[in-house]
Amino acid sequence: MKMKTLFLGLVSGLLLTACGAPSPEEEAAEQLGATEQAVCEGWAAGGRQCTWKCTGTESKWSGWTGVVYGQCEATATAACGRSPAAVCWSR
């Protein structure tokens, strides 16, 4: 009986994935997008702190004030040691 239940669960998961259920990566990207909207305001809206996340799975944002406009991406790349997952201006 347990094997039948396990098999049915596996088949159901495969069918959902095949039919367009979001993958864990897509869900993480959606969460990051929602977080970005809450944190990122943009330079035009008064954001003066260069803010970034090195990976999409990080829950913590890092940031520095005093970064010159146009240098936020380069600052974040240097801090992460690679291209960051998200970069923006925040307050």
Side-chain angles (χ1 to χ4, degrees):
M1 185 68 170
K2 289 182 182 181
M3 185 59 110
K4 184 178 178 181
T5 304
L6 176 65
F7 182 72
L8 287 174
L10 179 63
V11 170
S12 297
L14 290 172
L15 287 174
L16 282 173
T17 301
C19 293
S23 68
E25 293 84 12
E26 291 171 334
E27 288 179 3
E30 287 177 14
Q31 291 172 354
L32 180 61
T35 304
E36 284 178 16
Q37 291 173 354
V39 171
C40 299
E41 294 154 330
W43 186 270
R48 295 296 184 265
Q49 180 172 354
C50 178
T51 310
W52 66 85
K53 277 183 145 182
C54 292
T55 65
T57 57
E58 281 184 286
S59 60
K60 184 182 100 171
W61 287 81
S62 300
W64 287 334
T65 55
V67 176
V68 178
Y69 181 79
Q71 294 299 313
C72 189
E73 181 84 28
T75 302
T77 300
C80 292
R82 63 178 191 81
S83 190
V87 178
C88 66
W89 291 101
S90 63
R91 290 186 204 193

